[in-house]
Coordinates of all heavy atoms in Angstrom, one line a residue:
M18 N -28.6 -26.2 -67.1 CA -29.7 -26.6 -66.2 C -29.6 -28.1 -65.9 O -29.3 -28.9 -66.8 CB -31.1 -26.4 -67.0 CG -32.2 -26.9 -66.3 SD -33.8 -26.6 -67.1 CE -33.8 -27.9 -68.4
D19 N -29.7 -28.4 -64.7 CA -29.7 -29.9 -64.3 C -31.1 -30.4 -64.5 O -32.0 -30.2 -63.8 CB -29.3 -29.9 -62.8 CG -29.2 -31.3 -62.3 OD1 -29.2 -32.3 -63.1 OD2 -29.1 -31.5 -61.1
E20 N -31.2 -31.2 -65.6 CA -32.5 -31.8 -66.0 C -33.1 -32.7 -65.0 O -34.3 -32.7 -64.8 CB -32.4 -32.5 -67.4 CG -33.8 -32.7 -68.0 CD -33.7 -33.1 -69.4 OE1 -32.8 -32.6 -70.1 OE2 -34.5 -33.9 -69.9
N21 N -32.3 -33.5 -64.3 CA -32.8 -34.4 -63.3 C -33.4 -33.6 -62.1 O -34.5 -34.0 -61.6 CB -31.7 -35.3 -62.8 CG -31.3 -36.4 -63.8 OD1 -32.1 -36.7 -64.6 ND2 -30.1 -36.7 -63.8
K22 N -32.8 -32.6 -61.7 CA -33.3 -31.7 -60.6 C -34.6 -31.0 -61.1 O -35.5 -30.9 -60.3 CB -32.2 -30.7 -60.1 CG -32.6 -30.0 -58.9 CD -31.5 -29.1 -58.4 CE -31.9 -28.4 -57.1 NZ -30.9 -27.6 -56.6
F23 N -34.6 -30.6 -62.3 CA -35.8 -29.9 -62.9 C -37.0 -30.8 -62.9 O -38.1 -30.5 -62.4 CB -35.5 -29.4 -64.3 CG -36.6 -28.7 -65.0 CD1 -36.8 -27.4 -64.8 CD2 -37.4 -29.4 -65.8 CE1 -37.8 -26.7 -65.4 CE2 -38.5 -28.8 -66.4 CZ -38.7 -27.5 -66.3
L24 N -36.8 -32.1 -63.3 CA -37.9 -33.0 -63.4 C -38.3 -33.4 -62.0 O -39.5 -33.6 -61.8 CB -37.4 -34.3 -64.2 CG -37.2 -34.0 -65.7 CD1 -36.6 -35.3 -66.3 CD2 -38.5 -33.6 -66.3
S25 N -37.4 -33.5 -61.0 CA -37.8 -33.9 -59.7 C -38.6 -32.8 -59.0 O -39.5 -33.0 -58.3 CB -36.6 -34.3 -58.8 OG -35.8 -33.1 -58.6
L26 N -38.3 -31.5 -59.3 CA -39.1 -30.4 -58.8 C -40.5 -30.4 -59.4 O -41.5 -30.2 -58.7 CB -38.4 -29.0 -59.2 CG -37.2 -28.7 -58.3 CD1 -36.5 -27.5 -58.9 CD2 -37.6 -28.4 -56.9
C27 N -40.5 -30.7 -60.7 CA -41.9 -30.8 -61.4 C -42.7 -31.9 -60.8 O -43.9 -31.7 -60.5 CB -41.7 -31.0 -62.9 SG -41.1 -29.6 -63.8
K28 N -42.1 -33.1 -60.6 CA -42.9 -34.2 -60.0 C -43.3 -33.9 -58.6 O -44.3 -34.4 -58.1 CB -42.0 -35.5 -60.0 CG -41.9 -36.0 -61.4 CD -41.0 -37.3 -61.4 CE -40.8 -37.8 -62.8 NZ -40.0 -39.0 -62.9
G29 N -42.6 -33.0 -57.9 CA -42.9 -32.6 -56.5 C -43.9 -31.5 -56.5 O -44.3 -31.0 -55.4
G30 N -44.3 -31.0 -57.7 CA -45.3 -29.9 -57.7 C -44.7 -28.5 -57.5 O -45.5 -27.6 -57.3
K31 N -43.4 -28.4 -57.6 CA -42.8 -27.1 -57.4 C -42.4 -26.5 -58.7 O -41.3 -26.4 -59.1 CB -41.5 -27.3 -56.5 CG -41.9 -27.8 -55.1 CD -40.8 -27.8 -54.2 CE -41.3 -28.3 -52.8 NZ -40.3 -28.3 -51.8
F32 N -43.4 -26.0 -59.4 CA -43.3 -25.5 -60.8 C -42.5 -24.2 -60.9 O -41.7 -24.0 -61.8 CB -44.6 -25.5 -61.5 CG -45.3 -26.8 -61.5 CD1 -46.4 -27.0 -60.8 CD2 -44.8 -27.9 -62.3 CE1 -47.1 -28.2 -60.7 CE2 -45.4 -29.1 -62.3 CZ -46.6 -29.3 -61.5
K33 N -42.8 -23.3 -59.9 CA -42.1 -22.0 -59.9 C -40.6 -22.2 -59.7 O -39.8 -21.5 -60.3 CB -42.7 -21.1 -58.8 CG -44.1 -20.5 -59.2 CD -44.5 -19.5 -58.2 CE -45.9 -19.0 -58.5 NZ -46.4 -18.0 -57.6
E34 N -40.3 -23.1 -58.8 CA -38.9 -23.4 -58.5 C -38.2 -24.0 -59.7 O -37.0 -23.7 -60.0 CB -38.7 -24.3 -57.3 CG -39.1 -23.6 -56.0 CD -40.6 -23.6 -55.6 OE1 -41.4 -24.1 -56.5 OE2 -41.0 -23.2 -54.5
A35 N -38.9 -24.8 -60.4 CA -38.4 -25.5 -61.6 C -38.1 -24.5 -62.7 O -37.1 -24.5 -63.3 CB -39.3 -26.6 -62.1
L36 N -39.0 -23.6 -62.9 CA -38.8 -22.5 -63.9 C -37.7 -21.6 -63.5 O -36.8 -21.2 -64.3 CB -40.1 -21.7 -64.1 CG -40.0 -20.6 -65.2 CD1 -39.7 -21.2 -66.5 CD2 -41.3 -19.8 -65.2
A37 N -37.5 -21.3 -62.2 CA -36.4 -20.5 -61.7 C -35.1 -21.2 -62.0 O -34.1 -20.5 -62.3 CB -36.6 -20.2 -60.3
L38 N -35.1 -22.5 -61.8 CA -33.9 -23.3 -62.1 C -33.5 -23.2 -63.5 O -32.3 -23.1 -63.9 CB -34.1 -24.7 -61.6 CG -32.9 -25.7 -61.9 CD1 -31.7 -25.4 -61.0 CD2 -33.3 -27.1 -61.7
A39 N -34.5 -23.3 -64.4 CA -34.2 -23.3 -65.8 C -33.7 -22.0 -66.3 O -32.9 -21.9 -67.2 CB -35.5 -23.7 -66.6
I40 N -34.2 -20.9 -65.8 CA -33.7 -19.5 -66.3 C -32.6 -19.0 -65.4 O -32.2 -17.8 -65.7 CB -34.9 -18.5 -66.3 CG1 -35.5 -18.3 -65.0 CG2 -36.0 -19.0 -67.3 CD1 -36.6 -17.2 -64.9
E41 N -32.1 -19.7 -64.5 CA -31.0 -19.2 -63.6 C -29.9 -18.6 -64.5 O -29.3 -19.3 -65.3 CB -30.5 -20.3 -62.8 CG -29.6 -19.9 -61.7 CD -29.3 -21.1 -60.8 OE1 -30.2 -21.9 -60.5 OE2 -28.1 -21.2 -60.4
G42 N -29.5 -17.4 -64.2 CA -28.4 -16.7 -64.9 C -28.9 -15.9 -66.1 O -28.1 -15.1 -66.6
G43 N -30.1 -16.1 -66.6 CA -30.6 -15.4 -67.8 C -31.8 -14.6 -67.5 O -32.6 -14.4 -68.4
E44 N -32.0 -14.2 -66.3 CA -33.3 -13.5 -65.9 C -33.5 -12.2 -66.7 O -34.6 -11.8 -66.9 CB -33.3 -13.2 -64.4 CG -33.3 -14.5 -63.5 CD -32.0 -15.0 -63.2 OE1 -30.9 -14.5 -63.8 OE2 -31.9 -15.9 -62.4
K45 N -32.4 -11.5 -67.1 CA -32.6 -10.2 -67.7 C -32.6 -10.3 -69.3 O -32.6 -9.3 -69.9 CB -31.4 -9.3 -67.3 CG -31.4 -9.1 -65.8 CD -32.5 -8.3 -65.3 CE -32.4 -8.0 -63.8 NZ -33.5 -7.3 -63.2
Q46 N -32.6 -11.5 -69.8 CA -32.6 -11.6 -71.3 C -33.9 -11.3 -71.9 O -35.0 -11.5 -71.2 CB -32.1 -13.0 -71.7 CG -30.7 -13.3 -71.3 CD -30.3 -14.7 -71.6 OE1 -31.0 -15.4 -72.4 NE2 -29.2 -15.2 -71.1
K47 N -33.9 -10.9 -73.1 CA -35.2 -10.5 -73.8 C -36.2 -11.6 -73.9 O -37.4 -11.4 -73.6 CB -34.9 -9.9 -75.2 CG -36.1 -9.4 -75.9 CD -35.7 -8.8 -77.2 CE -36.9 -8.3 -77.9 NZ -36.6 -7.7 -79.2
Y48 N -35.8 -12.8 -74.2 CA -36.7 -13.9 -74.4 C -36.6 -15.0 -73.3 O -36.8 -16.2 -73.5 CB -36.4 -14.6 -75.8 CG -36.7 -13.7 -76.9 CD1 -35.7 -13.2 -77.7 CD2 -38.0 -13.3 -77.2 CE1 -36.0 -12.4 -78.8 CE2 -38.3 -12.4 -78.3 CZ -37.2 -12.0 -79.0 OH -37.5 -11.1 -80.1
T49 N -36.4 -14.5 -72.1 CA -36.4 -15.5 -71.0 C -37.8 -16.0 -70.8 O -38.8 -15.3 -70.9 CB -36.0 -14.7 -69.6 OG1 -34.7 -14.2 -69.8 CG2 -36.0 -15.6 -68.5
P50 N -37.9 -17.4 -70.7 CA -39.3 -18.0 -70.6 C -40.0 -17.6 -69.4 O -39.5 -17.3 -68.3 CB -39.0 -19.5 -70.6 CG -37.6 -19.6 -70.2 CD -36.9 -18.3 -70.6
S51 N -41.4 -17.4 -69.6 CA -42.2 -17.1 -68.5 C -43.1 -18.3 -68.1 O -43.8 -18.2 -67.0 CB -43.2 -15.9 -68.9 OG -43.9 -16.3 -70.1
R52 N -43.1 -19.3 -68.9 CA -43.9 -20.5 -68.5 C -43.3 -21.7 -69.3 O -42.5 -21.5 -70.2 CB -45.3 -20.3 -68.9 CG -45.7 -20.2 -70.3 CD -47.1 -19.8 -70.5 NE -47.4 -19.6 -71.9 CZ -47.8 -20.5 -72.8 NH1 -48.0 -21.8 -72.4 NH2 -48.0 -20.2 -74.0
F53 N -43.7 -22.9 -68.9 CA -43.3 -24.1 -69.6 C -44.4 -25.1 -69.6 O -45.3 -25.0 -68.8 CB -42.0 -24.7 -69.1 CG -42.1 -25.3 -67.7 CD1 -42.3 -26.6 -67.6 CD2 -42.0 -24.5 -66.6 CE1 -42.4 -27.2 -66.3 CE2 -42.1 -25.0 -65.3 CZ -42.3 -26.4 -65.2
S54 N -44.2 -26.1 -70.4 CA -45.1 -27.3 -70.4 C -44.2 -28.5 -70.7 O -43.1 -28.4 -71.2 CB -46.2 -27.2 -71.4 OG -45.7 -27.2 -72.7
M55 N -44.7 -29.6 -70.4 CA -44.0 -30.9 -70.6 C -44.5 -31.6 -71.9 O -45.7 -31.7 -72.1 CB -44.1 -31.8 -69.4 CG -43.6 -31.2 -68.1 SD -41.9 -30.8 -68.1 CE -41.1 -32.4 -68.0
D56 N -43.6 -32.0 -72.7 CA -43.9 -32.7 -73.9 C -44.3 -34.1 -73.5 O -43.5 -34.8 -72.9 CB -42.7 -32.7 -74.9 CG -43.0 -33.4 -76.2 OD1 -44.1 -33.9 -76.4 OD2 -42.1 -33.3 -77.1
K57 N -45.5 -34.6 -73.9 CA -46.0 -35.9 -73.5 C -45.2 -37.0 -74.2 O -45.0 -38.1 -73.5 CB -47.4 -36.0 -73.9 CG -48.3 -35.1 -73.0 CD -49.7 -35.3 -73.4 CE -50.6 -34.3 -72.5 NZ -52.0 -34.5 -72.8
K58 N -44.6 -36.8 -75.4 CA -43.9 -37.9 -76.1 C -42.5 -38.1 -75.4 O -42.1 -39.2 -75.2 CB -43.8 -37.6 -77.5 CG -45.1 -37.7 -78.3 CD -44.9 -37.4 -79.8 CE -46.2 -37.5 -80.5 NZ -46.1 -37.1 -81.9
T59 N -41.8 -37.0 -75.2 CA -40.4 -37.1 -74.8 C -40.2 -36.9 -73.3 O -39.2 -37.3 -72.8 CB -39.5 -36.1 -75.5 OG1 -40.0 -34.7 -75.2 CG2 -39.6 -36.2 -77.0
G60 N -41.2 -36.2 -72.7 CA -41.1 -36.0 -71.2 C -40.2 -34.8 -70.9 O -39.8 -34.6 -69.8
R61 N -39.8 -34.0 -71.9 CA -38.9 -32.9 -71.8 C -39.7 -31.6 -71.8 O -40.7 -31.5 -72.3 CB -37.8 -32.9 -72.9 CG -37.0 -34.2 -72.9 CD -35.8 -34.1 -73.7 NE -34.9 -33.2 -73.1 CZ -34.0 -32.5 -73.8 NH1 -34.0 -32.6 -75.1 NH2 -33.2 -31.7 -73.1
P62 N -39.2 -30.6 -71.1 CA -39.9 -29.3 -71.0 C -39.8 -28.5 -72.3 O -38.9 -28.6 -73.1 CB -39.2 -28.6 -69.9 CG -37.8 -29.1 -69.9 CD -37.9 -30.6 -70.3
I63 N -40.9 -27.8 -72.6 CA -41.0 -26.8 -73.7 C -41.2 -25.5 -73.1 O -42.2 -25.3 -72.3 CB -42.1 -27.2 -74.7 CG1 -42.0 -28.6 -75.2 CG2 -42.2 -26.2 -75.8 CD1 -43.2 -29.1 -76.0
F64 N -40.3 -24.5 -73.4 CA -40.4 -23.2 -72.7 C -41.1 -22.2 -73.7 O -40.9 -22.3 -74.9 CB -39.0 -22.7 -72.3 CG -38.4 -23.6 -71.3 CD1 -37.5 -24.6 -71.7 CD2 -38.7 -23.5 -70.0 CE1 -36.9 -25.4 -70.7 CE2 -38.1 -24.3 -69.0 CZ -37.2 -25.2 -69.4
Y65 N -41.8 -21.3 -73.1 CA -42.5 -20.2 -73.8 C -42.3 -18.9 -73.2 O -42.2 -18.7 -71.9 CB -44.1 -20.5 -73.8 CG -44.5 -21.8 -74.4 CD1 -44.6 -22.9 -73.7 CD2 -44.7 -21.8 -75.8 CE1 -45.0 -24.1 -74.3 CE2 -45.1 -23.0 -76.4 CZ -45.2 -24.1 -75.7 OH -45.6 -25.3 -76.3
R66 N -42.2 -17.8 -74.0 CA -42.2 -16.5 -73.6 C -43.5 -15.8 -74.2 O -43.5 -15.6 -75.4 CB -41.0 -15.7 -74.1 CG -41.0 -14.2 -73.8 CD -40.9 -14.0 -72.3 NE -40.8 -12.6 -72.0 CZ -40.6 -12.2 -70.8 NH1 -40.3 -13.0 -69.8 NH2 -40.6 -10.9 -70.6
G67 N -44.5 -15.7 -73.5 CA -45.8 -15.3 -74.0 C -46.4 -16.4 -74.8 O -46.5 -17.5 -74.3
N68 N -46.7 -16.2 -76.1 CA -47.1 -17.3 -77.0 C -46.0 -17.8 -77.9 O -46.3 -18.7 -78.7 CB -48.3 -16.8 -77.8 CG -49.5 -16.5 -77.0 OD1 -49.7 -17.2 -76.0 ND2 -50.4 -15.7 -77.5
K69 N -44.8 -17.4 -77.7 CA -43.7 -17.8 -78.5 C -42.9 -18.9 -77.9 O -42.6 -18.8 -76.7 CB -42.8 -16.6 -78.8 CG -43.4 -15.4 -79.4 CD -43.5 -15.5 -80.9 CE -44.0 -14.1 -81.4 NZ -44.5 -14.2 -82.7
R70 N -42.6 -19.9 -78.6 CA -41.7 -21.0 -78.1 C -40.3 -20.5 -78.1 O -39.8 -20.0 -79.1 CB -41.9 -22.2 -78.9 CG -41.2 -23.4 -78.4 CD -41.4 -24.5 -79.4 NE -41.9 -25.6 -78.7 CZ -42.1 -26.8 -79.3 NH1 -42.0 -27.0 -80.6 NH2 -42.6 -27.8 -78.6
V71 N -39.6 -20.7 -77.0 CA -38.2 -20.2 -76.9 C -37.3 -21.4 -76.5 O -37.8 -22.4 -75.9 CB -38.0 -19.1 -75.9 CG1 -38.7 -17.8 -76.4 CG2 -38.4 -19.4 -74.5
E72 N -36.0 -21.3 -76.8 CA -35.0 -22.3 -76.4 C -33.7 -21.7 -76.2 O -33.5 -20.6 -76.7 CB -34.9 -23.4 -77.5 CG -34.5 -22.9 -78.9 CD -34.6 -23.9 -80.0 OE1 -35.3 -25.0 -79.8 OE2 -33.9 -23.7 -81.0
M73 N -32.9 -22.4 -75.5 CA -31.6 -21.8 -75.1 C -30.6 -22.3 -76.2 O -30.5 -23.5 -76.6 CB -31.1 -22.3 -73.8 CG -29.9 -21.7 -73.2 SD -29.4 -22.2 -71.6 CE -30.6 -21.3 -70.6
D74 N -29.8 -21.4 -76.7 CA -28.7 -21.7 -77.7 C -27.5 -22.2 -77.0 O -27.5 -22.4 -75.8 CB -28.5 -20.6 -78.6 CG -27.8 -19.4 -78.0 OD1 -27.5 -19.5 -76.7 OD2 -27.4 -18.5 -78.7
E75 N -26.5 -22.6 -77.8 CA -25.3 -23.1 -77.2 C -24.5 -22.1 -76.3 O -23.7 -22.5 -75.5 CB -24.3 -23.7 -78.3 CG -23.9 -22.7 -79.3 CD -24.9 -22.5 -80.5 OE1 -25.8 -23.2 -80.6 OE2 -24.7 -21.5 -81.2
N76 N -24.8 -20.8 -76.4 CA -24.1 -19.8 -75.6 C -24.9 -19.5 -74.3 O -24.5 -18.7 -73.6 CB -23.9 -18.5 -76.4 CG -23.1 -18.8 -77.6 OD1 -22.1 -19.6 -77.6 ND2 -23.4 -18.1 -78.7
G77 N -26.0 -20.1 -74.1 CA -26.8 -19.9 -73.0 C -27.8 -18.7 -73.1 O -28.4 -18.2 -72.1
E78 N -28.0 -18.3 -74.3 CA -28.9 -17.1 -74.6 C -30.3 -17.7 -75.0 O -30.4 -18.6 -75.8 CB -28.3 -16.3 -75.8 CG -29.1 -15.1 -76.2 CD -28.6 -13.9 -75.3 OE1 -27.5 -13.9 -74.8 OE2 -29.4 -12.9 -75.3
W79 N -31.3 -17.1 -74.4 CA -32.7 -17.6 -74.8 C -33.1 -16.9 -76.1 O -33.1 -15.6 -76.2 CB -33.7 -17.2 -73.7 CG -33.5 -18.1 -72.5 CD1 -32.9 -17.8 -71.3 CD2 -34.0 -19.4 -72.3 NE1 -33.0 -18.8 -70.4 CE2 -33.7 -19.8 -71.0 CE3 -34.7 -20.3 -73.1 CZ2 -34.0 -21.1 -70.5 CZ3 -35.1 -21.5 -72.6 CH2 -34.7 -21.9 -71.3
L80 N -33.5 -17.7 -77.1 CA -33.9 -17.2 -78.4 C -35.3 -17.8 -78.8 O -35.6 -18.9 -78.3 CB -32.9 -17.5 -79.4 CG -31.5 -17.0 -79.2 CD1 -30.5 -17.5 -80.2 CD2 -31.5 -15.4 -79.3
I81 N -36.0 -17.1 -79.7 CA -37.2 -17.7 -80.2 C -36.8 -19.0 -81.0 O -35.9 -19.0 -81.8 CB -37.9 -16.7 -81.1 CG1 -38.5 -15.6 -80.3 CG2 -39.1 -17.4 -81.9 CD1 -39.2 -14.5 -81.1
S82 N -37.5 -20.0 -80.8 CA -37.3 -21.3 -81.5 C -37.5 -21.3 -82.9 O -38.5 -20.8 -83.4 CB -38.1 -22.4 -80.8 OG -37.9 -23.6 -81.4
K83 N -36.5 -21.8 -83.7 CA -36.6 -21.8 -85.1 C -37.4 -23.1 -85.6 O -38.1 -23.1 -86.5 CB -35.2 -21.9 -85.8 CG -34.4 -20.7 -85.3 CD -34.0 -19.9 -86.5 CE -33.0 -18.8 -86.2 NZ -33.4 -17.8 -85.4
N84 N -37.3 -24.1 -84.8 CA -38.0 -25.4 -85.1 C -39.2 -25.5 -84.2 O -39.1 -26.0 -83.1 CB -37.0 -26.6 -84.9 CG -37.6 -27.9 -85.3 OD1 -38.7 -27.9 -86.0 ND2 -37.0 -29.0 -85.0
T85 N -40.4 -25.1 -84.8 CA -41.6 -25.2 -83.9 C -42.3 -26.6 -84.1 O -43.2 -26.9 -83.4 CB -42.6 -24.1 -84.3 OG1 -42.9 -24.2 -85.7 CG2 -42.0 -22.7 -84.0
Q86 N -41.9 -27.4 -85.1 CA -42.5 -28.7 -85.3 C -41.6 -29.7 -84.8 O -40.5 -29.9 -85.3 CB -42.8 -28.9 -86.7 CG -43.8 -28.0 -87.3 CD -44.1 -28.2 -88.8 OE1 -43.3 -29.0 -89.4 NE2 -45.1 -27.6 -89.3
V87 N -41.9 -30.4 -83.7 CA -41.0 -31.4 -83.1 C -41.7 -32.7 -83.2 O -42.8 -32.9 -83.0 CB -40.7 -31.0 -81.6 CG1 -39.8 -32.1 -81.0 CG2 -40.0 -29.7 -81.6

């Protein structure tokens, strides 16, 4: 995911397009995120599938986050 393009879409108010950019290529995976929020401290996105926090591993697979305290 191109983080600069993701952030510019968010600043432009295009949240659906930003989420589509983040999940590009992994649409059919079990834990593909359905929503996101921005972390106020770091300014980076936090992805969720339902109420579960998810993150992408080094292979590009969406998994439930092991580290929920950031």
Side-chain angles (χ1 to χ4, degrees):
M18 172 180 77
D19 182 10
E20 194 166 326
N21 290 330
K22 187 172 182 179
F23 180 85
L24 293 174
S25 67
L26 285 170
C27 289
K28 288 180 182 178
K31 298 185 179 189
F32 302 109
K33 287 184 181 181
E34 291 85 353
L36 184 60
L38 176 68
I40 63 174
E41 189 174 322
E44 293 89 352
K45 301 290 183 186
Q46 295 177 13
K47 183 176 181 180
Y48 294 112
T49 301
S51 56
R52 62 187 178 94
F53 71 95
S54 64
M55 299 300 283
D56 187 353
K57 291 182 181 180
K58 291 182 183 178
T59 63
R61 301 193 69 213
I63 302 170
F64 296 99
Y65 297 94
R66 175 68 181 189
N68 290 333
K69 306 270 187 202
R70 185 182 234 182
V71 295
E72 59 187 21
M73 190 178 283
D74 69 356
E75 59 274 349
N76 298 326
E78 184 87 19
W79 287 101
L80 302 172
I81 293 178
S82 178
K83 304 242 187 290
N84 184 12
T85 57
Q86 297 176 351
V87 176

